[in-house]
Every structure is written in structure tokens, then in C-alpha cells.
Amino acid sequence: MKRKIGGWIIVFGFVLLLSACGEKTQEDVVADLKDNMEEMDGYKAKAEMSMNTGQEQQMFNIDVWHKKDDLYRVGLSSNEDEKGNQIILKNEDGVFVLTPALSKSFKFQSEWPENSSQPYLYQSLINDIEKDKEAEFEVTDSHYVFKTKTNYQSNNNLPFQEIYFDKKTLQPVQVNVLDKDRNALVEVKFSNFDQEASFEDDDFSMEKNMASSGSQEEPVSSDKGGNSLTVFYPSYMAGAELTEKKEASTENGERVILTFEGEKNFTLVEEKAEAQKTMASPNEVAGEIVNLGFAVGAISDNSIEWTHDGVDFMLASDELTKEELIQVAQSVQSKEVK
């Protein structure tokens, strides 16, 4: 009897050993992810991104193209502002943000995407995992889950993220970007990931991307009934209050300058956005790309510029931090309500 029990213990122990050997460690999975990324010539991915960083939840459809080594095309579209659809493009000529319906393009002197976390780019997720020596790792029935720090240079309010990879394919499934209290403020859910994608020679050219997204459509207007400007106000004002509203006429219609004074002063300028009749040379931007949730903008040390709902915005302050500039900009969604 003792011999039989002893035999069962040995067999049971051997089964446990085999099962333990079959489960990959964190180091194994990271190595597999790196190998998978390096073996790809490129990929195409589709995802839906929801952002709860402003007054209301914002939804974006994201279409990512990446061709090895350094070509990127990230299309961001919204059902609520179809003419405001934008493309982040990186090719041999630089980094650009395109708004095709307006024939507008901005060129950035930027190290994007390497200079900041990008929750919809496969290589960015893997780089964040590698850099965080304190990253947490969990295995579920169908996912490898990493909990890591983020690297948002312009926004310290989103310090953490949870990244889910499919156990069989090692493809990204979902990314939750968390605030300091571990609340998910940004969620990216991937619906498709093709790592055997093929590309045309001009897929990453500015000309093709501007033309293919409807830049030949009729000019965008902030008010289809005429040239009047619908004014937007921030719901977050960093302890300031609206003290002055100035209106001026421009070639495109109207410009409104809103002055806010209080704990920290700032100015918000709004002007009707008009489509260019022909594609002009890109405007050079001294700043970095920032995703506000409803638009992609350019942020510098003391200002943010963006276009949304047929209106060009410029928020400027010598007193707001970059995080506060982003918070104010993200809250500029209320029409004609102070």
C-alpha cells in the first residue's frame, strides 16, 4: 500500500512538473513578442478607441498601417465629425498630421512614435513592456496580460496601462490606459490585426492620403447656413473665469477671442476652418502630436492648436502646465454655454 501511494506521489509530482514547464514565463512571452514583431514586414490593424478624459466619452475608429522599418499611417475617424477625420503619417519626408477634407497638412519636427507611448501601435506596446523593469504579468485562459508604466511626455495624468495579447497569436487584443487611481480613461479594442499585410509603393505618400480621404469635397463649414461661427467653451477652466469675448471679421467669416482670468490665465482663439482649394505645402509646427480624444493637435510649451467640427482652435497660456493645457483643450466641447 505504501509503495502504491509513493508511486502515485511520484506520478502526480511529475504531472505538476510537466504542467509548470508548459506555462511560459514573463521573460519567455516578452522574447516571443519581440521575435514576432521583428519577423513582421508590416501590419494593418483596426481598433476602436474610447476616451473618457473630457466632459463626454469620445469614440474613435483607428486604422493603423505600418511597414518596416519606419513607415506609419494612422487614420483616426469619428462618426460625429466625418469631415474632421485625420491621418498621422510618417514617411521618408517626416511626420505629418493631415486633415484631408480641409486639404490641411502639418509637418512636425518630431521623433514620433518613439518619443511617447502609443496604445494602438504594436511596437510601442512591446517597447513599454521592455522598458518597465517592474511590469506585472498575468496569464489567463486566453490572454497574456501586462501592467506597465506609460511614457506620455505631455501628459502625466495617464501613468499606467494594461495590455492584453492573444496567447495563440501574440496579437494585441485590448489596451486600457489608466489614471493615477487606476481608472481606465482610454480603452483601445482591436477588431483586426493582419501581420501579413501588403502595401502599394505610394501608400505612405502625402499626396495619396490627402486625395483618397475626400479632400476634393466641398469646403467644410462650421455652420452650413452661412458664415456664422458656433463658439465652443471649455468646461474645465483651471480656476479661471471668462472675462472677455472679442469678435472680429476675417476672410473666412468670424474669429472669436475668449480671455480667461483667475488662478491661471489663458486665451482661447476660435476661427472658422475653410478647405484649401489646392493642397498647399505643409505648415511647419514647433511642437509634438497630442491626441485630445476628438482631434489630433499640436502641443508646444505654452499652446495647443487643433481643428474640430469645422473650427480652428488655438489655446495659449504662459501659466498653464502642459497637462493643464490638455485638460482645458479636451473640455472645449460645449457650444454657446458658459
Side-chain angles (χ1 to χ4, degrees):
M1 185 69 179
K2 288 182 179 179
R3 187 178 300 172
K4 185 178 289 187
I5 292 173
W8 279 113
I9 291 174
I10 292 172
V11 171
F12 184 65
F14 186 66
V15 170
L16 285 177
L17 181 63
L18 285 177
S19 63
C21 292
E23 196 66 78
K24 291 191 175 184
T25 66
Q26 179 172 346
E27 291 74 18
D28 293 334
V29 175
V30 172
D32 289 345
L33 288 169
K34 288 178 61 179
D35 290 342
N36 191 47
M37 180 178 67
E38 290 169 2
E39 288 170 4
M40 282 190 286
D41 291 327
Y43 65 85
K44 292 181 179 180
K46 291 185 181 295
E48 183 179 73
M49 181 170 69
S50 61
M51 300 186 70
N52 297 294
T53 52
Q55 187 180 16
E56 300 176 0
Q57 184 184 57
Q58 300 291 326
M59 303 295 294
F60 257 114
N61 297 313
I62 301 178
D63 191 8
V64 179
W65 293 4
H66 168 60
K67 184 178 179 181
K68 207 171 187 177
D69 285 309
D70 210 24
L71 299 176
Y72 294 88
R73 177 195 183 278
V74 180
L76 299 106
S77 60
S78 167
N79 295 332
E80 296 180 4
D81 185 21
E82 293 182 4
K83 299 231 177 191
N85 295 349
Q86 293 178 295
I87 296 170
I88 305 174
L89 185 71
K90 184 173 185 178
N91 57 27
E92 302 87 357
D93 299 320
V95 179
F96 304 87
V97 170
L98 315 179
T99 308
L102 296 173
S103 293
K104 281 189 175 182
S105 58
F106 295 89
K107 184 176 182 180
F108 290 76
Q109 299 299 325
S110 173
E111 297 301 317
W112 186 93
E114 291 83 5
N115 63 341
S116 180
S117 295
Q118 311 294 335
Y120 38 75
L121 295 184
Y122 190 56
Q123 50 274 64
S124 178
L125 298 173
I126 296 173
N127 288 339
D128 283 347
I129 292 170
E130 274 196 284
K131 290 177 182 177
D132 188 356
K133 303 307 179 185
E134 299 176 351
E136 300 177 26
F137 176 68
E138 180 184 349
V139 181
T140 69
D141 290 341
S142 53
H143 299 127
Y144 294 122
V145 185
F146 289 87
K147 298 179 181 179
T148 80
K149 297 172 185 173
T150 61
N151 175 34
Y152 291 105
Q153 294 187 356
S154 299
N155 192 351
N156 294 324
N157 295 322
L158 299 170
F160 308 110
Q161 63 186 342
E162 299 172 337
I163 309 168
Y164 293 76
F165 294 100
D166 185 277
K167 285 178 71 172
K168 294 181 180 178
T169 64
L170 299 178
Q171 295 175 357
V173 175
Q174 181 168 338
V175 181
N176 301 326
V177 186
L178 315 175
D179 65 12
K180 296 174 183 178
D181 298 320
R182 304 281 177 164
N183 299 310
L185 297 189
V186 180
E187 296 181 2
V188 178
K189 295 182 179 180
F190 290 85
S191 58
N192 186 59
F193 193 91
D194 179 7
Q195 59 188 66
E196 296 181 356
S198 59
F199 301 94
E200 301 293 333
D201 291 340
D202 59 349
D203 276 348
F204 298 89
S205 71
M206 189 168 69
E207 292 76 14
K208 182 174 182 177
N209 281 283
M210 292 290 276
S212 66
S213 299
S215 59
Q216 303 304 316
E217 298 175 5
E218 10 178 298
V220 173
S221 168
S222 60
D223 187 336
K224 294 180 181 178
N227 288 331
S228 61
L229 174 69
T230 299
V231 182
F232 291 74
Y233 296 88
S235 58
Y236 173 75
M237 293 175 281
E241 293 183 353
L242 178 64
T243 58
E244 186 177 27
K245 176 182 176 182
K246 287 185 179 179
E247 299 181 6
S249 297
T250 70
E251 293 181 358
N252 296 332
E254 299 175 41
R255 175 185 296 142
V256 173
I257 302 172
L258 304 176
T259 301
F260 295 81
E261 296 180 341
E263 294 178 18
K264 295 186 177 182
N265 303 329
F266 62 90
T267 301
L268 178 62
V269 181
E270 305 178 20
E271 185 173 347
K272 182 181 174 184
E274 285 288 340
Q276 307 280 339
K277 292 185 178 179
T278 58
M279 190 177 74
S281 299
N283 293 325
E284 295 277 348
V285 176
E288 292 294 333
I289 295 171
V290 60
N291 194 330
L292 299 174
F294 48 82
V296 176
I299 185 170
S300 63
D301 288 337
N302 55 12
S303 69
I304 299 182
E305 297 180 54
W306 72 96
T307 300
H308 177 58
D309 205 18
V311 180
D312 289 332
F313 296 85
M314 197 273 287
L315 173 66
S317 174
D318 291 328
E319 300 175 18
L320 294 176
T321 65
K322 280 189 175 182
E323 289 82 0
E324 289 169 334
L325 280 168
I326 292 172
Q327 282 183 279
V328 173
Q330 287 175 332
S331 76
V332 180
Q333 300 172 37
S334 302
K335 300 180 182 180
E336 303 290 1
V337 176
K338 292 177 276 186

